[in-house]
Amino acid sequence: MSTLLSQTVNGLVLGSLIGLIALGYTMVYGIVQLINFAHGEVFMVGAYGGLATSTYLLPGFLAQQWYLALPLLLVGGAAVSVAVAVAMERFAYRPLRDAPRLAPLITALGVSVALQEVVRVFYPGAISPLPYPRVFVEGAYVLPIGDGVPIRYTGALIIVVSVVLAIALQRFVDHSRLGRAMRAIAQDRDTARLMGIDPDRVIVATFALGGVLAGVAGILYGADLGFVNIDIGFQTGIFAFTAAVLGGIGSIRGAVVGGLVVGLVKALGGQYLPGGTAYDYVWIFVVLIAVLVFRPQGFFGETERVRA
Amino acid sequence: MSRRRAVAVAGAVLVGATLLAACGTNRSEGDAAAGSSCDTSKGTLVIGMIAPMSGGVSAFGMGMRNSADLAIDQANENCTVPGYRLVFQPEDDQSLPQIAAQAATKLASDPKVVAVVGTYNSSTAQSAAPILAQRSIVQVSPANTGPALTRGEKAATEPQRPFPTYFRVAANDLVQGPFGARHLVQKAGKKKIAVIDDGKTYGVGLVENFVKEAERLGARIVAREKVGEKDTDFSSTIAAIRSSRPDAVYYGGEYPAAGPLSRQLAEAGLDIPLMGGDGIADPQYIELGGRPGDFATNIGAPVESLASARAFVDAYAAAGYAEPSSAYGPMTFDATNVIIGALAGVVRNGEFDESSRRRLVEAVQRLNLPGASGTVAFDEFGDTTNKVLTVSTVKDGEFEPLETGVFEPSN
């Protein structure tokens, strides 16, 4: 019983983090029909941005107080992620916006590799994993059930932050002016332009929003696991991409639910399905294939519109 | 900005990044020879290296590169190899077997390459060794511990040497796993042990040999798990072993995963020591989450206790390398000196060409050298005859040696 509960907690923590990143995939796809494979790297540079903020900008006494350090790290990490996401849109994707769909996809892969290499070469010490500063309460609360169910404080933080940000994003897209413009462009870019909406501005804003979420996720990841390396973007990015597709790419609710499904399948599959943790990736992709076969549009997706 | 120009900018960034990444692997010309007065009339010879100079275990790889560089510089200064100037050519394998194979092919295609130091990982050695063996290029690894590399697939029962050109100065897992088991079960008194490995040649082999000896000594293996080499979140693995209430964890793998694993164990309320092999015996392990009371076995005696190692440590410090020599520094220095020593004998009466490679292999086989890590000599399989091992524990933020001994097989 306590093992089942611990694995569920682990799944929810990992799932919320994946969901937070998946939001970036989903928003960009919803608006420009681009699978931004470099989004995982936006998450990775966010983690390094936070690390740089803590190493080079924070005075020692601030770094000791997590309630002062954490917000500053979040701002620093998100700023780096936003800068990278916006630059990526401007220099790698905008020139290819009207090109066949394969071109930006390949560019995205190139950008992903380039970002990893840039961090590896230019961030001091990034050739190997770097320890992450402790920016939140350490340790775990142990639920007194059976052997005890440990919940890491940082894990609880990830769940809370992810849920709050996902709800905020949904409300923003539903109710704000910019959100309306985003939906209009997603529906029909040319008509939206005729109605006086500047697609470039809205698309940049979309990338920036995805960057904020990925940057926050990067800091939370570092705080939770205690280290970062340049591979985390690729690995976590693939999970987030899977989550976005599972949930129905383009759907905000779908990204969060897809993230939770991936997290839970990884944790519970590793415990209860044959093969143990060595096979947990297999189960994630089995679920993905099953969903694509029986419900290709994902849990919350709409069937693809034929665009004029 | 026009579309074409923007594409060009993006392209230039990509090309630039690739070039920068490639710089790290360029041949480093031994500049020490420039000022020396040695006779180098016969030209240059190349000693190659294949090691992970980027990626997760680069702390080991950089230490290896610098230590080999030091040995080669010293040889050039002392005119150890008559008539030749030695050039060092380190290649980065990123810990990936296919990249190691490319590096081996590149080195093997150069007639000036006399020998290769490396690799670090047993899995990369498995792809590089056959390529080097085909060209009769001697290979001396300071770090590989997979038994199959010297003793073939049936290493424990019917040993058979697969590559006559392959040697190593590191003791293999048939030695290190059981040595760790004896300490953990007999000295530390752990009876219910959970084992975890990373699925790579090194980790799996280490755990297998650990388990055999631990069970023989009466310990129970209460859980067996595997993690991905690149996994970072071990909470599921930890939850899986938690219910079996282990009193220690033995981990087969390297520090990038082991450090965080140790930290996450404690956070999940499992305040039990983690033990691993030489793959975790690096200060990076502690920085990434290794806790006081964790154990690591390592090959050789602690550097402080050997007079021969002092000379290496001092020379390394004097050379002013940016990175520490790592746990493998002394053995890499020895591996390189084995090659240099044998080479000096081979070229004494003539020139070195591709046909001399076979004689170099024979010379290495016969060599007996007092090295920084102890006496270096090889048995009929190419394994070191030096079976000295050390168990260390984490204390005050560093590894502190607990016990050094010579391993005697049990049956």
Side-chain angles (χ1 to χ4, degrees), chain A residues 26-135:
Chain A
T26 267
M27 275 196 296
V28 167
Y29 184 83
I31 288 176
V32 280
Q33 264 72 45
L34 162 71
I35 307 247
N36 179 12
F37 268 121
H39 188 63
E41 263 54 57
V42 175
F43 157 75
M44 184 267 293
V45 296
Y48 277 93
L51 185 60
T53 311
S54 137
T55 318
Y56 301 112
L57 296 180
L58 281 191
F61 70 92
L62 268 182
Q64 300 307 316
Q65 254 55 48
W66 69 264
Y67 46 87
L68 297 175
L70 182 61
L72 287 171
L73 248 68
L74 288 173
V75 170
V80 172
S81 282
V82 168
V84 168
V86 168
M88 192 157 72
E89 194 278 330
R90 181 69 191 81
F91 296 111
Y93 301 143
R94 191 179 299 179
L96 296 170
R97 199 174 291 157
D98 298 312
R101 272 207 214 175
L102 196 55
L105 188 73
I106 294 167
T107 308
L109 289 172
V111 169
S112 157
V113 174
L115 283 174
Q116 275 188 44
E117 288 299 315
V118 165
V119 173
R120 184 172 74 97
V121 172
F122 292 107
Y123 195 95
I127 51 168
S128 58
L130 286 173
Y132 218 75
R134 307 293 159 85
V135 287

Side-chain angles (χ1 to χ4, degrees), chain A residues 7 10 95 110 114 117 120 122 127-129 131 134 140 147-148 150 152 221 223-227 231 235 271 277 281, chain B residues 3 6 14 20-21 54-56 58 225-226 230-232 235-236 239-240 242-243 245 260 263-264 267-268 284 287-288:
Chain A
Q7 293 293 31
N10 294 334
E117 288 299 315
R120 184 172 74 97
F122 292 107
I127 51 168
S128 58
R134 307 293 159 85
D147 286 340
R152 293 195 303 279
Y221 179 97
D224 186 33
L225 299 183
F227 71 103
D231 300 327
Q235 203 188 21
Q271 175 78 37
T277 47
Y281 285 37
Chain B
R3 176 192 298 183
L14 263 173
L20 275 167
S54 64
S58 55
E225 291 293 331
K226 275 192 191 301
K230 298 209 160 165
D231 274 6
T232 46
S235 43
S236 323
R242 201 162 190 275
S243 53
R245 300 173 181 279
R263 180 172 113 112
Q264 290 173 32
E267 281 194 338
Q284 280 264 320
E287 264 195 65
L288 292 173

Side-chain angles (χ1 to χ4, degrees), chain B residues 6 51 54 71 80 144 225 278 323 332:
Chain B
S54 64
T80 314
N144 299 155
E225 291 293 331
D278 53 337
E323 303 86 5
T332 310

